[in-house]
Amino acid sequence: MKFSIPVLTSALAASALVSGAPLGRRDGRGAVYFITNEPEGNMVIVANINADGTLGLNRAVSTSGRGSHGLADPVGPDALFSQGSIKASATGKILAAVNSGSNTVSLFSIDSSDPTNINLIGEPVSSEGEFPMSLAINGAGNQVCVLNGGTVNGVNCFSVDSKLGLVAMPNTLRSLGLNQTTPATGPAGTTSHIAFSEDGKQLIASVKGVPPTPGFLAVWDVNTDGTLSADFQTVTPGSGGLLPFSMTVIPGKNAILATDAGVGFDIFDFGGQNQSSVVPITGQGATCWSSFSNQTGNFYLTDIITSTVTEVNVDDNLKGTIVKQYPKLQALQRSTMTSPLSGARTSSTSWLLTRRPATAAGVTINANNLQGMTSFVKQ
Ligand SMILES: *[C@@H]1O[C@H](CO)[C@@H](O)[C@H](O)[C@H]1NC(C)=O
Ligand SMILES: *[C@@H]1O[C@H](CO)[C@@H](O)[C@H](O)[C@H]1NC(C)=O
Ligand SMILES: *[C@@H]1O[C@H](CO)[C@@H](O)[C@H](O)[C@H]1NC(C)=O
């Protein structure tokens, strides 16, 4: 598998960096956040969501940690092999980011009247593992869990303290026992994403297989005090499933849609016998990332190789069908979070410097390191 082409997330990030909206907005709809994931120092790049839905670069804020790039041949733009390396919670008004190179997690408060205004709370805390690469925040916004994907791999959770930041929670450090390296070697055989089930009663981590051996989801029960079951349940994809990547909750069902970089997507039904169905996407390269739109009721999946966006509907019986496919630029134009300059690519630090000299000077952006995307929308 070759993960070597600039991808949708990068292009979206670039569009945030180059659009010409004014700085420091209270009149926007919210904010979008990325991490630079640079080994010299990790920064959160913050873009305002303007009233018309375009993005405007606002500021870069240090996480006080370092990023890193997984070991891959060729070296591609998927540095952490993950989804969810930065995660915002609207209920908690917090933003968490991984520092994969320093094995820590940073927590910020989000100013709900101006969500571009974020402030580090306390110091970054140890992820209690190596190569932290994905984060989940519970519905109440008071528990943050991290997935470590390096030599020391597994999950670990923190409670959120408004003054201290992240505080280690007992009985949440759980190993996956994968044979991995630090930084992780991939993309095959790496951890992918961590998520809570919709009811918050399970914490789920996805792991890619090493072809021909399929990957799996690791499922821990979350007790009422936030602690985790001692062991995880292994749920494997149906026949043909291979590389479970990002996980998106299917609302109202006890189920998860997982992109599958080896085939298309998998639907995991936790309601009955933990059945999984596999839906191929014809012509896919590697389908990696996904999200759900409450407005359309459909899922949107992106492919790192083809940059195609695939719109998927999941019916009441958890049958997934492809609704439509969009080439990259068309998809970007449809997006409500896109600047008119969406064709831009990320390697253009110079764009940043010329368009935003006051705030962006000195911020290093590498297309192969830039990771993650999360948003905070004003209520
Ligand atoms: C771990 O993986 C390495 C590299 O593939 C291999 O050489 C080693 O034997 C593996 N160790 C175990 C315990 O499986
Ligand atoms: C399905 O998975 C859930 C979550 O791991 C587990 O609690 C349940 O026992 C599983 N059900 C079956 C029938 O295996
Ligand atoms: C999502 O959509 C449903 C039905 O269209 C609506 O009832 C619900 O409030 C929406 N949820 C959010 C979070 O917007």
Side-chain angles (χ1 to χ4, degrees):
M1 215 168 10
K2 289 199 169 93
F3 281 18
S4 58
I5 295 169
V7 288
L8 178 72
T9 43
S10 299
L12 272 168
S15 71
L17 302 180
V18 298
S19 87
L23 292 174
R25 307 307 296 241
R26 288 178 175 272
D27 59 344
R29 290 181 182 171
V32 170
Y33 315 90
F34 315 91
I35 51 173
T36 62
N37 187 38
E38 283 295 305
E40 307 285 300
N42 191 13
M43 309 281 280
V44 177
I45 304 282
V46 185
N48 187 56
I49 305 174
N50 300 317
D52 64 358
T54 59
L55 295 182
L57 171 71
N58 186 272
R59 68 190 78 186
V61 182
S62 171
T63 65
S64 288
R66 295 185 305 278
S68 69
H69 198 296
L71 305 176
D73 183 16
V75 172
D78 191 17
L80 302 179
F81 312 117
S82 79
Q83 179 159 316
S85 55
I86 182 166
K87 191 86 186 159
S89 161
T91 39
K93 300 186 177 63
I94 51 166
L95 177 72
V98 296
N99 300 303
S100 58
S102 42
N103 301 330
T104 57
V105 181
S106 301
L107 187 75
F108 297 85
S109 59
I110 298 175
D111 174 352
S112 54
S113 66
D114 175 10
T116 62
N117 181 20
I118 59 169
N119 288 285
L120 198 60
I121 315 177
E123 294 291 313
V125 293
S126 169
S127 68
E128 309 274 342
E130 295 178 356
F131 198 67
M133 32 58 74
S134 183
L135 294 161
I137 305 180
N138 69 346
N142 59 13
Q143 182 175 10
V144 176
C145 298
V146 61
L147 177 58
N148 289 298
T151 305
V152 182
N153 51 73
V155 300
N156 187 35
C157 301
F158 308 88
S159 57
V160 174
D161 182 283
S162 59
K163 292 210 169 56
L164 302 173
L166 296 172
V167 177
M169 287 181 78
N171 291 309
T172 61
L173 180 61
R174 299 290 183 251
S175 174
L176 273 167
L178 302 174
N179 181 13
Q180 258 295 351
T181 57
T182 300
T185 304
T190 55
T191 52
S192 307
H193 193 196
I194 184 172
F196 281 95
S197 58
E198 190 176 30
D199 63 9
K201 291 179 175 165
Q202 266 99 31
L203 183 68
I204 311 167
S206 48
V207 180
K208 302 170 201 78
V210 181
T213 307
F216 61 95
L217 305 189
V219 185
W220 287 268
D221 289 325
V222 181
N223 302 313
T224 46
D225 62 358
T227 60
L228 303 181
S229 55
D231 299 313
F232 62 85
Q233 188 109 21
T234 300
V235 181
T236 48
S239 172
L242 200 57
L243 302 168
F245 203 118
S246 66
M247 297 180 286
T248 299
V249 160
I250 302 172
K253 306 280 180 187
N254 190 5
I256 294 268
L257 181 149
T259 53
D260 189 317
V263 56
F265 63 96
D266 309 324
I267 292 175
F268 291 91
D269 178 4
F270 295 110
Q273 296 299 309
N274 292 331
Q275 302 276 15
S276 150
S277 57
V278 177
V279 182
I281 297 176
T282 306
Q284 74 124 27
T287 307
C288 298
W289 300 290
S290 57
S291 65
F292 175 76
S293 165
N294 200 52
Q295 218 161 20
T296 63
N298 288 338
F299 297 80
Y300 297 84
L301 283 46
T302 58
D303 184 317
I304 192 170
I305 308 281
T306 65
S307 294
T308 298
V309 176
T310 299
E311 182 175 359
V312 167
N313 182 264
V314 177
D315 73 10
D316 261 356
N317 301 316
L318 293 177
K319 182 176 158 48
T321 46
I322 295 168
V323 175
K324 204 170 171 184
Q325 290 193 294
Y326 309 92
K328 182 170 69 176
L329 284 178
Q330 192 191 339
L332 282 169
Q333 279 151 10
R334 275 173 51 90
S335 162
T336 54
M337 296 199 298
T338 306
S339 108
L341 295 169
S342 55
R345 291 269 158 90
T346 9
S347 37
S348 43
T349 312
S350 57
W351 288 54
L352 234 182
L353 295 176
T354 52
R355 301 291 289 246
R356 287 276 172 261
T359 53
V363 177
T364 307
I365 308 268
N366 286 309
N368 280 349
N369 288 344
L370 189 74
Q371 288 287 280
M373 179 164 72
T374 190
S375 61
F376 180 99
V377 177
K378 285 192 200 172
Q379 298 306 300

